[in-house]
Structures are given as C-alpha cells and as structure tokens.
Amino acid sequence: MIIFFPTRLSPTGGSSSFARKFAAGLKALSHSVAFERPQKYDLLLTNASCPLQHLLHAKARRVPIIHRLDGVYYPQSVADKQWRLHNFPLWLTRRLADHIIYQSGYSRHCAETFLGHIRTPYTLIYNGVDTGQFKPDGPAEPLRSNGNRHVFITVSRFRRPDQIDPLIDAFNVYRNRYHADCKLVIIGNFEGTVADRPQQLSQPRIIEFRGIVPNNKLPAYLRAADAFLFTHLNPPCPNNVIEALACGLPVCGVADGAMPELVSSGNSGELLPVQGNGFFSPRQLDPAAIAVTMHKIMQNRLHYSQAARQSALDRFTLDHMINQYLTVLTRLTPNL
C-alpha cells in the first residue's frame, strides 16, 4: 500500500514527529509513505488542512481521503478574530474526506462545534510514542546540582501567554511556599507575543530556557526531571504530554481540552479544574492552585511516576497507534 501524506518535515513539531513515526511504522509492515505526491498512490492522508490540488487529484482518481484532525480555531486561539478564515481549509478538507481520524474526543467536539456537524465515518486515535525511546531508564541530563533539588520541566512551541506565564507564576509560588531549592527547565521556541519571555524571565540555575531540543535527545531531559508542567489552553492531544508520561514523568496541568482523556488525576498526574471552555473569553488560572497540585505530586512522586509510565504502556504505544491507523487504511482499500 502506498500512502500519500503531504507533509513539510521540520526538525521539531508534532506534525513532523508524527509523520516520521508513521512512515517508519508502516515501512516495518511493508507499506510505504510518500511526503511528495507520487505518480500512483492508494490513499491520501492529510493533516488538519491539505492543498486543494492534492484533494482534487485524489477525488478525480477516486482515491480515498483520510483527514487526520487535531484542533480547530476559535476566538481565543492564535487566530483571534480571523478564526473563521483559518477554519475554512479545515472545513473543506473535512467535507471532502471519506474518513476522519480525530486525535481525541475533544478534537471531535471542537470540529462539530466550529466546523459543523457531518456524518462522515470517523475513528478516534490518540497519538502514540516510542516507549522504547521515551522511558524512565537511560542517560539523563544533569539538571540538578544535588539530590534534594526539585526539577520541573515543560516542552512546547510557545506562542501565547497562557502557555508560559501561569507556569512561571506557579513555579515561583511553589518555590516560596513549599520547596526553595527547585528549578524550572523550559524547552522550545518562543514566537509572537511571547517571543521576549526568555530574555525577561530567565534566572540562572532557577528558571532555564534551553531552546529547541531535537526529539531524539528529549528523553534525557524528561527523565532527569520530577514533573511535567502544562497549562496550554484547550490542547487537542499534546504529544509532549504523552512523551512525558512515557518517561514516567507525572503531569501537572489543567483539566481542559483533551487533558482529562490523557491524564488521570490522582494517578498519572494532577489536573486543575477550570470554569468554562475558554473558546470565547480568556481563562484565568490561579498560580497558587497550580502550586498546590505540584506539591501534591512531589509528596508522592513514586506513585505518580509509576502510574504515568504504565498509562503510556497501556494506551499510547507507537505500535498500538500504527495498528489502529492500519485498520482504517485497510478498511478503505479492501481490494489491495
């Protein structure tokens, strides 16, 4: 089977990471994935949006189209007032697809809310990670100067204040109230309205901005930390959270988006309840309340760590994800 998956690969980013893992997983099962359009292909798999010429090319040749959809745009997203315009390519791709793969139940809810209800068949498939690479055991970065230091970490592409400011505030509360000897390690690039945060907020040996770290080197950072912090608004299925779980890293986050589907409060992490959906008005987070959940995790970290790792093994392995995709692919190509 030849799958055409139009993707512009970059060194980092969830879409590129998925594309590489997906291609490698299918290659191991004697299928091939092409990122540039080949002369002949059996399926078109597309991310959130797809160039119109590829959609029309597949339709003209009666090639099945699978739409892999994570999130959509809404007034409080990065699209701001242009959210309807940004949603149009997603709306069009979804309407032309023969099957939709939602990355979470929350992803489907958002699509139905902002792209409209459709009756196209769909499957829910969570992202998967290589639990042989992302695991608690292995080389670790020297992030702590002594065994008593608490180390928190976050990884993302930071574009909005809600993705970073509450973390900094909560960390400072934790440091002042619960454990003075601690560090926050922040990995990723900063863009847009938060581009200046590394220069503004960096504190040597306390709040460290490490920039972009290649995905194959990320496990060494994750397994060196105590807990993963994450306050993104309405995440559809954050791969970085699943990678943290696989490394046995408890997740301290917010109970919105797909987070309640990924993280079990009291087991693999702690999620702070929030009011409203954050679609139309800003969401306010209490840094002190986040600090309380950080403290709760650190009081019983071994339990949380073991549950986090087991959750990844039970639900988010790469093999499980690939097999789910393959089930959908073969169902749409019964004659191959």
Side-chain angles (χ1 to χ4, degrees), residues 113-143:
T113 301
F114 292 100
L115 303 181
H117 174 68
I118 58 175
R119 296 182 178 180
T120 305
Y122 71 90
T123 305
L124 193 158
I125 303 178
Y126 295 112
N127 290 333
V129 300
D130 184 349
T131 51
Q133 177 188 11
F134 286 86
K135 59 183 179 179
D137 303 323
E141 285 290 319
L143 299 183

PDB file of all heavy atoms in Angstrom, residues 113-143:
ATOM      1  N   THR A 113     -18.360  21.580  16.770  1.00  0.00           N
ATOM      2  CA  THR A 113     -18.796  22.893  17.245  1.00  0.00           C
ATOM      3  C   THR A 113     -18.464  24.002  16.255  1.00  0.00           C
ATOM      4  O   THR A 113     -19.303  24.863  15.964  1.00  0.00           O
ATOM      5  CB  THR A 113     -18.145  23.212  18.608  1.00  0.00           C
ATOM      6  OG1 THR A 113     -18.510  22.204  19.555  1.00  0.00           O
ATOM      7  CG2 THR A 113     -18.592  24.575  19.123  1.00  0.00           C
ATOM      8  N   PHE A 114     -17.246  23.987  15.705  1.00  0.00           N
ATOM      9  CA  PHE A 114     -16.785  25.120  14.902  1.00  0.00           C
ATOM     10  C   PHE A 114     -16.703  24.836  13.401  1.00  0.00           C
ATOM     11  O   PHE A 114     -16.585  25.769  12.610  1.00  0.00           O
ATOM     12  CB  PHE A 114     -15.427  25.596  15.418  1.00  0.00           C
ATOM     13  CG  PHE A 114     -15.496  26.217  16.780  1.00  0.00           C
ATOM     14  CD1 PHE A 114     -15.150  25.487  17.908  1.00  0.00           C
ATOM     15  CD2 PHE A 114     -15.938  27.515  16.943  1.00  0.00           C
ATOM     16  CE1 PHE A 114     -15.227  26.049  19.174  1.00  0.00           C
ATOM     17  CE2 PHE A 114     -16.022  28.094  18.199  1.00  0.00           C
ATOM     18  CZ  PHE A 114     -15.672  27.354  19.320  1.00  0.00           C
ATOM     19  N   LEU A 115     -16.746  23.567  13.002  1.00  0.00           N
ATOM     20  CA  LEU A 115     -16.726  23.235  11.576  1.00  0.00           C
ATOM     21  C   LEU A 115     -18.066  22.696  11.102  1.00  0.00           C
ATOM     22  O   LEU A 115     -18.274  22.529   9.899  1.00  0.00           O
ATOM     23  CB  LEU A 115     -15.625  22.204  11.279  1.00  0.00           C
ATOM     24  CG  LEU A 115     -14.194  22.579  11.681  1.00  0.00           C
ATOM     25  CD1 LEU A 115     -13.229  21.470  11.294  1.00  0.00           C
ATOM     26  CD2 LEU A 115     -13.779  23.905  11.055  1.00  0.00           C
ATOM     27  N   GLY A 116     -18.948  22.401  12.034  1.00  0.00           N
ATOM     28  CA  GLY A 116     -20.272  21.920  11.672  1.00  0.00           C
ATOM     29  C   GLY A 116     -20.396  20.407  11.773  1.00  0.00           C
ATOM     30  O   GLY A 116     -19.416  19.665  11.683  1.00  0.00           O
ATOM     31  N   HIS A 117     -21.621  19.955  11.947  1.00  0.00           N
ATOM     32  CA  HIS A 117     -21.883  18.519  12.070  1.00  0.00           C
ATOM     33  C   HIS A 117     -21.874  17.856  10.695  1.00  0.00           C
ATOM     34  O   HIS A 117     -22.435  18.377   9.734  1.00  0.00           O
ATOM     35  CB  HIS A 117     -23.238  18.288  12.735  1.00  0.00           C
ATOM     36  CG  HIS A 117     -23.641  16.846  12.774  1.00  0.00           C
ATOM     37  ND1 HIS A 117     -22.990  15.914  13.553  1.00  0.00           N
ATOM     38  CD2 HIS A 117     -24.619  16.173  12.100  1.00  0.00           C
ATOM     39  CE1 HIS A 117     -23.548  14.732  13.373  1.00  0.00           C
ATOM     40  NE2 HIS A 117     -24.533  14.857  12.506  1.00  0.00           N
ATOM     41  N   ILE A 118     -21.210  16.712  10.603  1.00  0.00           N
ATOM     42  CA  ILE A 118     -21.236  15.905   9.384  1.00  0.00           C
ATOM     43  C   ILE A 118     -21.384  14.439   9.773  1.00  0.00           C
ATOM     44  O   ILE A 118     -21.143  14.063  10.926  1.00  0.00           O
ATOM     45  CB  ILE A 118     -19.964  16.094   8.523  1.00  0.00           C
ATOM     46  CG1 ILE A 118     -18.707  15.740   9.324  1.00  0.00           C
ATOM     47  CG2 ILE A 118     -19.869  17.503   7.972  1.00  0.00           C
ATOM     48  CD1 ILE A 118     -17.443  15.792   8.491  1.00  0.00           C
ATOM     49  N   ARG A 119     -21.753  13.620   8.792  1.00  0.00           N
ATOM     50  CA  ARG A 119     -21.978  12.199   9.057  1.00  0.00           C
ATOM     51  C   ARG A 119     -20.863  11.315   8.519  1.00  0.00           C
ATOM     52  O   ARG A 119     -21.017  10.094   8.440  1.00  0.00           O
ATOM     53  CB  ARG A 119     -23.316  11.776   8.450  1.00  0.00           C
ATOM     54  CG  ARG A 119     -24.518  12.485   9.078  1.00  0.00           C
ATOM     55  CD  ARG A 119     -25.822  12.003   8.473  1.00  0.00           C
ATOM     56  NE  ARG A 119     -26.971  12.652   9.107  1.00  0.00           N
ATOM     57  CZ  ARG A 119     -28.233  12.418   8.769  1.00  0.00           C
ATOM     58  NH1 ARG A 119     -28.513  11.546   7.791  1.00  0.00           N
ATOM     59  NH2 ARG A 119     -29.213  13.048   9.393  1.00  0.00           N
ATOM     60  N   THR A 120     -19.752  11.908   8.148  1.00  0.00           N
ATOM     61  CA  THR A 120     -18.619  11.134   7.641  1.00  0.00           C
ATOM     62  C   THR A 120     -18.135  10.146   8.700  1.00  0.00           C
ATOM     63  O   THR A 120     -17.998  10.511   9.871  1.00  0.00           O
ATOM     64  CB  THR A 120     -17.466  12.082   7.258  1.00  0.00           C
ATOM     65  OG1 THR A 120     -17.954  13.054   6.324  1.00  0.00           O
ATOM     66  CG2 THR A 120     -16.309  11.318   6.641  1.00  0.00           C
ATOM     67  N   PRO A 121     -17.866   8.896   8.331  1.00  0.00           N
ATOM     68  CA  PRO A 121     -17.342   7.931   9.307  1.00  0.00           C
ATOM     69  C   PRO A 121     -16.046   8.442   9.943  1.00  0.00           C
ATOM     70  O   PRO A 121     -15.246   9.121   9.287  1.00  0.00           O
ATOM     71  CB  PRO A 121     -17.085   6.680   8.463  1.00  0.00           C
ATOM     72  CG  PRO A 121     -17.982   6.822   7.282  1.00  0.00           C
ATOM     73  CD  PRO A 121     -18.049   8.293   6.993  1.00  0.00           C
ATOM     74  N   TYR A 122     -15.856   8.097  11.197  1.00  0.00           N
ATOM     75  CA  TYR A 122     -14.663   8.582  11.897  1.00  0.00           C
ATOM     76  C   TYR A 122     -14.142   7.529  12.865  1.00  0.00           C
ATOM     77  O   TYR A 122     -14.852   6.596  13.259  1.00  0.00           O
ATOM     78  CB  TYR A 122     -14.965   9.882  12.654  1.00  0.00           C
ATOM     79  CG  TYR A 122     -15.844   9.698  13.873  1.00  0.00           C
ATOM     80  CD1 TYR A 122     -15.280   9.450  15.129  1.00  0.00           C
ATOM     81  CD2 TYR A 122     -17.232   9.765  13.778  1.00  0.00           C
ATOM     82  CE1 TYR A 122     -16.082   9.274  16.247  1.00  0.00           C
ATOM     83  CE2 TYR A 122     -18.041   9.591  14.884  1.00  0.00           C
ATOM     84  CZ  TYR A 122     -17.458   9.348  16.123  1.00  0.00           C
ATOM     85  OH  TYR A 122     -18.249   9.163  17.225  1.00  0.00           O
ATOM     86  N   THR A 123     -12.882   7.714  13.244  1.00  0.00           N
ATOM     87  CA  THR A 123     -12.232   6.883  14.257  1.00  0.00           C
ATOM     88  C   THR A 123     -11.450   7.799  15.179  1.00  0.00           C
ATOM     89  O   THR A 123     -10.870   8.795  14.735  1.00  0.00           O
ATOM     90  CB  THR A 123     -11.270   5.865  13.609  1.00  0.00           C
ATOM     91  OG1 THR A 123     -11.978   5.093  12.639  1.00  0.00           O
ATOM     92  CG2 THR A 123     -10.681   4.931  14.661  1.00  0.00           C
ATOM     93  N   LEU A 124     -11.434   7.485  16.450  1.00  0.00           N
ATOM     94  CA  LEU A 124     -10.656   8.247  17.423  1.00  0.00           C
ATOM     95  C   LEU A 124      -9.353   7.497  17.685  1.00  0.00           C
ATOM     96  O   LEU A 124      -9.376   6.349  18.135  1.00  0.00           O
ATOM     97  CB  LEU A 124     -11.458   8.417  18.713  1.00  0.00           C
ATOM     98  CG  LEU A 124     -10.973   9.432  19.752  1.00  0.00           C
ATOM     99  CD1 LEU A 124     -12.136   9.834  20.648  1.00  0.00           C
ATOM    100  CD2 LEU A 124      -9.845   8.862  20.605  1.00  0.00           C
ATOM    101  N   ILE A 125      -8.220   8.133  17.382  1.00  0.00           N
ATOM    102  CA  ILE A 125      -6.913   7.509  17.604  1.00  0.00           C
ATOM    103  C   ILE A 125      -5.997   8.522  18.295  1.00  0.00           C
ATOM    104  O   ILE A 125      -5.673   9.566  17.723  1.00  0.00           O
ATOM    105  CB  ILE A 125      -6.257   7.045  16.286  1.00  0.00           C
ATOM    106  CG1 ILE A 125      -7.172   6.082  15.532  1.00  0.00           C
ATOM    107  CG2 ILE A 125      -4.913   6.381  16.574  1.00  0.00           C
ATOM    108  CD1 ILE A 125      -6.605   5.615  14.195  1.00  0.00           C
ATOM    109  N   TYR A 126      -5.594   8.199  19.508  1.00  0.00           N
ATOM    110  CA  TYR A 126      -4.661   9.066  20.228  1.00  0.00           C
ATOM    111  C   TYR A 126      -3.258   8.939  19.627  1.00  0.00           C
ATOM    112  O   TYR A 126      -2.910   7.922  19.014  1.00  0.00           O
ATOM    113  CB  TYR A 126      -4.605   8.689  21.709  1.00  0.00           C
ATOM    114  CG  TYR A 126      -5.900   8.919  22.452  1.00  0.00           C
ATOM    115  CD1 TYR A 126      -6.655   7.845  22.922  1.00  0.00           C
ATOM    116  CD2 TYR A 126      -6.370  10.207  22.682  1.00  0.00           C
ATOM    117  CE1 TYR A 126      -7.842   8.047  23.603  1.00  0.00           C
ATOM    118  CE2 TYR A 126      -7.557  10.420  23.365  1.00  0.00           C
ATOM    119  CZ  TYR A 126      -8.291   9.341  23.820  1.00  0.00           C
ATOM    120  OH  TYR A 126      -9.466   9.547  24.483  1.00  0.00           O
ATOM    121  N   ASN A 127      -2.453   9.962  19.825  1.00  0.00           N
ATOM    122  CA  ASN A 127      -1.061   9.900  19.396  1.00  0.00           C
ATOM    123  C   ASN A 127      -0.330   8.801  20.168  1.00  0.00           C
ATOM    124  O   ASN A 127      -0.658   8.510  21.320  1.00  0.00           O
ATOM    125  CB  ASN A 127      -0.361  11.235  19.632  1.00  0.00           C
ATOM    126  CG  ASN A 127      -0.862  12.317  18.701  1.00  0.00           C
ATOM    127  OD1 ASN A 127      -1.322  12.030  17.603  1.00  0.00           O
ATOM    128  ND2 ASN A 127      -0.788  13.565  19.131  1.00  0.00           N
ATOM    129  N   GLY A 128       0.667   8.222  19.530  1.00  0.00           N
ATOM    130  CA  GLY A 128       1.484   7.207  20.181  1.00  0.00           C
ATOM    131  C   GLY A 128       2.943   7.633  20.214  1.00  0.00           C
ATOM    132  O   GLY A 128       3.388   8.432  19.388  1.00  0.00           O
ATOM    133  N   VAL A 129       3.682   7.103  21.163  1.00  0.00           N
ATOM    134  CA  VAL A 129       5.106   7.420  21.269  1.00  0.00           C
ATOM    135  C   VAL A 129       5.906   6.124  21.335  1.00  0.00           C
ATOM    136  O   VAL A 129       5.384   5.064  21.688  1.00  0.00           O
ATOM    137  CB  VAL A 129       5.417   8.287  22.512  1.00  0.00           C
ATOM    138  CG1 VAL A 129       4.669   9.603  22.449  1.00  0.00           C
ATOM    139  CG2 VAL A 129       5.083   7.546  23.798  1.00  0.00           C
ATOM    140  N   ASP A 130       7.165   6.231  20.995  1.00  0.00           N
ATOM    141  CA  ASP A 130       8.073   5.094  21.076  1.00  0.00           C
ATOM    142  C   ASP A 130       8.466   4.910  22.539  1.00  0.00           C
ATOM    143  O   ASP A 130       9.341   5.606  23.057  1.00  0.00           O
ATOM    144  CB  ASP A 130       9.304   5.354  20.209  1.00  0.00           C
ATOM    145  CG  ASP A 130      10.261   4.173  20.171  1.00  0.00           C
ATOM    146  OD1 ASP A 130      10.086   3.234  20.975  1.00  0.00           O
ATOM    147  OD2 ASP A 130      11.192   4.195  19.344  1.00  0.00           O
ATOM    148  N   THR A 131       7.807   3.973  23.218  1.00  0.00           N
ATOM    149  CA  THR A 131       8.064   3.773  24.642  1.00  0.00           C
ATOM    150  C   THR A 131       9.389   3.061  24.897  1.00  0.00           C
ATOM    151  O   THR A 131       9.786   2.898  26.053  1.00  0.00           O
ATOM    152  CB  THR A 131       6.913   2.978  25.293  1.00  0.00           C
ATOM    153  OG1 THR A 131       6.664   1.785  24.528  1.00  0.00           O
ATOM    154  CG2 THR A 131       5.645   3.818  25.338  1.00  0.00           C
ATOM    155  N   GLY A 132      10.060   2.633  23.830  1.00  0.00           N
ATOM    156  CA  GLY A 132      11.415   2.119  23.978  1.00  0.00           C
ATOM    157  C   GLY A 132      12.439   3.236  23.991  1.00  0.00           C
ATOM    158  O   GLY A 132      13.523   3.100  24.566  1.00  0.00           O
ATOM    159  N   GLN A 133      12.097   4.352  23.364  1.00  0.00           N
ATOM    160  CA  GLN A 133      12.957   5.535  23.380  1.00  0.00           C
ATOM    161  C   GLN A 133      12.591   6.448  24.544  1.00  0.00           C
ATOM    162  O   GLN A 133      13.465   6.900  25.295  1.00  0.00           O
ATOM    163  CB  GLN A 133      12.830   6.299  22.065  1.00  0.00           C
ATOM    164  CG  GLN A 133      13.644   7.595  22.017  1.00  0.00           C
ATOM    165  CD  GLN A 133      13.352   8.427  20.778  1.00  0.00           C
ATOM    166  OE1 GLN A 133      12.403   8.156  20.048  1.00  0.00           O
ATOM    167  NE2 GLN A 133      14.154   9.452  20.547  1.00  0.00           N
ATOM    168  N   PHE A 134      11.296   6.718  24.687  1.00  0.00           N
ATOM    169  CA  PHE A 134      10.821   7.542  25.802  1.00  0.00           C
ATOM    170  C   PHE A 134      10.497   6.607  26.966  1.00  0.00           C
ATOM    171  O   PHE A 134       9.428   5.997  27.020  1.00  0.00           O
ATOM    172  CB  PHE A 134       9.594   8.353  25.381  1.00  0.00           C
ATOM    173  CG  PHE A 134       9.919   9.500  24.471  1.00  0.00           C
ATOM    174  CD1 PHE A 134      10.005   9.312  23.102  1.00  0.00           C
ATOM    175  CD2 PHE A 134      10.169  10.770  24.980  1.00  0.00           C
ATOM    176  CE1 PHE A 134      10.323  10.363  22.253  1.00  0.00           C
ATOM    177  CE2 PHE A 134      10.489  11.830  24.143  1.00  0.00           C
ATOM    178  CZ  PHE A 134      10.570  11.628  22.777  1.00  0.00           C
ATOM    179  N   LYS A 135      11.439   6.491  27.881  1.00  0.00           N
ATOM    180  CA  LYS A 135      11.309   5.573  29.006  1.00  0.00           C
ATOM    181  C   LYS A 135      12.057   6.147  30.206  1.00  0.00           C
ATOM    182  O   LYS A 135      12.938   7.008  30.056  1.00  0.00           O
ATOM    183  CB  LYS A 135      11.864   4.194  28.640  1.00  0.00           C
ATOM    184  CG  LYS A 135      13.325   4.208  28.227  1.00  0.00           C
ATOM    185  CD  LYS A 135      13.795   2.818  27.802  1.00  0.00           C
ATOM    186  CE  LYS A 135      15.267   2.852  27.372  1.00  0.00           C
ATOM    187  NZ  LYS A 135      15.738   1.502  26.974  1.00  0.00           N
ATOM    188  N   PRO A 136      11.731   5.679  31.419  1.00  0.00           N
ATOM    189  CA  PRO A 136      12.378   6.236  32.616  1.00  0.00           C
ATOM    190  C   PRO A 136      13.867   5.932  32.709  1.00  0.00           C
ATOM    191  O   PRO A 136      14.629   6.730  33.272  1.00  0.00           O
ATOM    192  CB  PRO A 136      11.612   5.573  33.767  1.00  0.00           C
ATOM    193  CG  PRO A 136      10.318   5.131  33.175  1.00  0.00           C
ATOM    194  CD  PRO A 136      10.623   4.774  31.752  1.00  0.00           C
ATOM    195  N   ASP A 137      14.293   4.789  32.171  1.00  0.00           N
ATOM    196  CA  ASP A 137      15.694   4.383  32.288  1.00  0.00           C
ATOM    197  C   ASP A 137      16.505   4.884  31.101  1.00  0.00           C
ATOM    198  O   ASP A 137      16.025   4.890  29.969  1.00  0.00           O
ATOM    199  CB  ASP A 137      15.797   2.856  32.356  1.00  0.00           C
ATOM    200  CG  ASP A 137      14.994   2.280  33.510  1.00  0.00           C
ATOM    201  OD1 ASP A 137      14.965   2.922  34.573  1.00  0.00           O
ATOM    202  OD2 ASP A 137      14.398   1.208  33.333  1.00  0.00           O
ATOM    203  N   GLY A 138      17.747   5.270  31.381  1.00  0.00           N
ATOM    204  CA  GLY A 138      18.623   5.710  30.308  1.00  0.00           C
ATOM    205  C   GLY A 138      19.405   6.945  30.705  1.00  0.00           C
ATOM    206  O   GLY A 138      19.280   7.452  31.826  1.00  0.00           O
ATOM    207  N   PRO A 139      20.227   7.456  29.793  1.00  0.00           N
ATOM    208  CA  PRO A 139      21.023   8.657  30.087  1.00  0.00           C
ATOM    209  C   PRO A 139      20.122   9.839  30.435  1.00  0.00           C
ATOM    210  O   PRO A 139      19.042   9.996  29.870  1.00  0.00           O
ATOM    211  CB  PRO A 139      21.776   8.911  28.775  1.00  0.00           C
ATOM    212  CG  PRO A 139      21.742   7.604  28.045  1.00  0.00           C
ATOM    213  CD  PRO A 139      20.464   6.942  28.436  1.00  0.00           C
ATOM    214  N   ALA A 140      20.582  10.654  31.378  1.00  0.00           N
ATOM    215  CA  ALA A 140      19.806  11.815  31.810  1.00  0.00           C
ATOM    216  C   ALA A 140      20.693  13.052  31.839  1.00  0.00           C
ATOM    217  O   ALA A 140      21.877  12.980  32.182  1.00  0.00           O
ATOM    218  CB  ALA A 140      19.202  11.571  33.193  1.00  0.00           C
ATOM    219  N   GLU A 141      20.111  14.174  31.466  1.00  0.00           N
ATOM    220  CA  GLU A 141      20.831  15.442  31.532  1.00  0.00           C
ATOM    221  C   GLU A 141      21.069  15.830  32.999  1.00  0.00           C
ATOM    222  O   GLU A 141      20.211  15.592  33.854  1.00  0.00           O
ATOM    223  CB  GLU A 141      20.020  16.545  30.847  1.00  0.00           C
ATOM    224  CG  GLU A 141      20.032  16.479  29.339  1.00  0.00           C
ATOM    225  CD  GLU A 141      21.390  16.838  28.761  1.00  0.00           C
ATOM    226  OE1 GLU A 141      22.019  17.796  29.260  1.00  0.00           O
ATOM    227  OE2 GLU A 141      21.824  16.154  27.821  1.00  0.00           O
ATOM    228  N   PRO A 142      22.208  16.430  33.297  1.00  0.00           N
ATOM    229  CA  PRO A 142      22.487  16.854  34.683  1.00  0.00           C
ATOM    230  C   PRO A 142      21.751  18.148  35.031  1.00  0.00           C
ATOM    231  O   PRO A 142      22.340  19.236  35.048  1.00  0.00           O
ATOM    232  CB  PRO A 142      24.003  17.046  34.673  1.00  0.00           C
ATOM    233  CG  PRO A 142      24.328  17.417  33.257  1.00  0.00           C
ATOM    234  CD  PRO A 142      23.350  16.666  32.396  1.00  0.00           C
ATOM    235  N   LEU A 143      20.472  18.034  35.318  1.00  0.00           N
ATOM    236  CA  LEU A 143      19.652  19.220  35.575  1.00  0.00           C
ATOM    237  C   LEU A 143      19.659  19.655  37.035  1.00  0.00           C
ATOM    238  O   LEU A 143      19.248  20.766  37.346  1.00  0.00           O
ATOM    239  CB  LEU A 143      18.203  18.955  35.135  1.00  0.00           C
ATOM    240  CG  LEU A 143      17.983  18.630  33.659  1.00  0.00           C
ATOM    241  CD1 LEU A 143      16.494  18.472  33.370  1.00  0.00           C
ATOM    242  CD2 LEU A 143      18.585  19.706  32.764  1.00  0.00           C
TER     243      LEU A 143
END
